[in-house]
Each structure stands twice: as C-alpha cells, then as structure tokens.
Amino acid sequence: MRKSYIALLLFSVPVTAHAQNAVDDFRRKMVNDLAGYDQGHIPSSMTNNQPPPDNGGVYLKHVLNVPTTPNAITQAPVVGLTIGMPAVEAEKILSSYCNHPPGIRYQTLSLSYKGINVQTQPFVSKLTCSSDNDSLSVEISPPVAGTTVTKIDREVSYPADKSPRFADFQADISKKYNIHLPVAIPNQPAIVTQYILKDKTTSEKINGRPVDATDTSDDFSQTVQSYLRITANVIPENPTSMSGFTISSANPGDATVLSNEIIKQLKASVDEKLSNSNVKTVL
C-alpha cells in the first residue's frame, strides 16, 4: 500500500523575556531540547525537507565536540547509522534505507539581551524516515557541536505471520553489540541497557531504565556519557516469535555546555552590533 506523508515545518518557540530571566529561560529550554526529542514512540509523519529561508539570525560557529567513547555503542551501526556521524551522511543513509528523502526538523532559538531580540539561523535538529513497519529517528547536535548524530532510535514491528524467532534475534544482538538480552515472556518485554559512564566505566543492566539528561536531580543520569538500550516483545500467543523491538543509541553530550556556548555566541553578536552602532541623536 502506498504511503502518504504530511509535510510539517517545526521550529522551537522563541524564548522572550528580559535581562537575566531571558538567559535563564533560554538555558532551561536548551537543556530540554538538546537532551532529546520524542523519547519513546517515533512519529510516522514526515517533517519538511526543504531548508527554511535565511531569517537574518546568527550563524552558529563550530567550537565544541561531543565526546564519544569507542565501544560497541559507537562502533556498531544501526542500519548503517553511527553516533558521531555527520548529519549529511546520516541523511544519505536514511534516504537509501527508506527509499525516500528523510523528514528534516529545523530548529531556531532566540533570546532577548540588552533589550535586543536575537535568534539563530535555523539548523537541522532531527531526521526521520520510515519504511513499512520500520521507523528511524536521528537527533543531531547543534552547529556549535558540529552537526553530528547524537541519538538513534529504531522501532520495528512484525505481523504475526511474518515474525522472526526471538532466539535468533537474541543471538544476533549479542554478536553485533556484545549486549545480552534476557528471555522475553508474554506481555512483558525483554529489556537490556548498556551504559558508558563519564568516568569511562561500562555497565550492563537487565531492565535498565532510560537516561534523562535533563533531570539534574537524577544523579545516575548525570553520570552517563552514552548508552544503548534494546527492548524486544514477543507475540503472547506464540512467545518464540517476536512482535517487535526498539533500539536506542545515544551520546547526547552536556546540554548545559552546549546551551552556554549558544548563549555566548548570541550575546557576542549583539555586543558586536552595539559596538559598531554610529546612530546619533538629532536635536
């Protein structure tokens, strides 16, 4: 059956406030935005793949790199996609895998500084595509951090008459990612998560929970550098066969550091504009 796609152009809502409140609001928003989008279910609608026009905003400069830890999380690809890959390469892989150009989400961020509203140029923040019952979502770091892949989500479902054997999937996951998926039982998914902590230690946990980098009160999430989380479900009436699985691989970096750099560059553009102003009062 031929699929139809809805074109949507999504932007962040600009933050407008005064003085330090604007910076504080901006930073909170950036921490939320840069840590991850749409965690869990991957939306099937496509975003607009036409770049928005120049909005007169600031072109962010690449000055930071999101640190990565060489291991199964970053080295083993998800349908060819890898953490740290340039966004342009990820776009090509998605186009080939899904047989159509991916949807592209653009983001614009703004704040008020010294009474002047300043915004960024739109930048790519997310790529999405789907093919049959296979959906992919790829999150991209902002230009200050190189516009590279920081998170990959894949969600696959199978009809009951065309489903792979759970044991085979379990073996494949172990071979490819060196991660050990527990046995799934009806109405209870099998979940395993591998965490790479900022001190470079690695841990694997059955039923390991997702990481929320935006929750500064969550001590564990704040120690995680990257993670790989796999969930598999079986058909209740036929538990040796799978009904679907999800894979999430992420290395989001420090959202606070990224937001601070964006704030710094936006404020610098305002300061430069004011320093070059030669407006004179006419009396």
Side-chain angles (χ1 to χ4, degrees), residues 15-277:
V15 178
T16 57
H18 296 286
Q20 188 60 38
N21 287 338
V23 175
D24 292 341
D25 289 345
F26 181 92
R27 183 175 287 110
R28 281 192 293 269
K29 178 174 178 53
M30 284 296 300
V31 168
N32 288 330
D33 285 350
L34 297 177
Y37 303 88
D38 304 324
Q39 297 186 21
H41 177 69
I42 301 172
S44 59
S45 61
M46 292 182 64
T47 52
N48 197 336
N49 60 0
Q50 295 298 319
D54 188 317
N55 65 359
V58 176
Y59 287 93
L60 297 173
K61 299 176 182 178
H62 177 197
V63 296
L64 300 172
N65 291 303
V66 178
T68 58
T69 306
N71 58 6
I73 290 180
T74 56
Q75 292 176 340
V78 178
V79 299
L81 299 163
T82 55
I83 298 296
M85 170 183 288
V88 290
E89 292 185 22
E91 186 177 349
K92 293 177 182 177
I93 290 173
L94 289 173
S95 294
S96 176
Y97 186 78
C98 294
N99 294 315
H100 62 74
I104 303 176
R105 172 177 289 179
Y106 293 89
Q107 184 176 19
T108 300
L109 294 163
S110 67
L111 82 161
S112 178
Y113 173 61
K114 293 185 177 180
I116 298 174
N117 291 325
V118 59
Q119 64 181 341
T120 67
Q121 286 285 341
F123 57 87
V124 176
S125 62
K126 190 172 187 178
L127 306 171
T128 59
C129 80
S130 60
S131 178
D132 296 326
N133 298 317
D134 194 342
S135 298
L136 287 155
S137 173
V138 178
E139 293 171 15
I140 308 298
S141 66
V144 296
T147 316
T148 60
V149 173
T150 59
K151 190 169 188 284
I152 304 164
D153 287 308
R154 186 183 181 199
E155 182 178 336
V156 181
S157 61
Y158 299 104
D161 60 341
K162 294 181 180 180
S163 59
R165 291 175 55 84
F166 176 80
D168 293 340
F169 177 78
Q170 192 179 35
D172 291 342
I173 288 296
S174 177
K175 181 178 180 180
K176 183 170 184 177
Y177 298 109
N178 191 29
I179 192 170
H180 307 93
L181 192 67
V183 175
I185 60 178
N187 301 313
Q188 184 174 324
I191 303 173
V192 63
T193 308
Q194 183 183 93
Y195 302 99
I196 311 299
L197 305 184
K198 292 178 180 178
D199 64 4
K200 310 305 181 184
T201 58
T202 302
S203 65
E204 181 178 304
K205 294 185 178 180
I206 302 301
N207 296 321
R209 63 186 177 87
V211 171
D212 183 3
T214 69
D215 186 357
T216 56
S217 65
D218 184 349
D219 293 337
F220 177 70
S221 288
Q222 299 307 309
T223 67
V224 175
Q225 175 65 48
S226 55
Y227 65 90
L228 173 67
R229 189 170 193 262
I230 299 174
T231 301
N233 289 278
V234 295
I235 300 171
E237 299 83 3
N238 182 18
T240 61
S241 296
M242 294 179 59
S243 62
F245 70 88
T246 62
I247 295 179
S248 293
S249 178
N251 187 77
D254 191 325
T256 301
V257 171
L258 297 179
S259 67
N260 287 344
E261 179 58 36
I262 294 175
I263 290 170
K264 177 182 175 181
Q265 293 190 25
L266 289 176
K267 291 171 70 173
S269 81
V270 171
D271 288 336
E272 181 180 9
K273 182 177 181 179
L274 293 176
S275 67
N276 293 328
S277 175

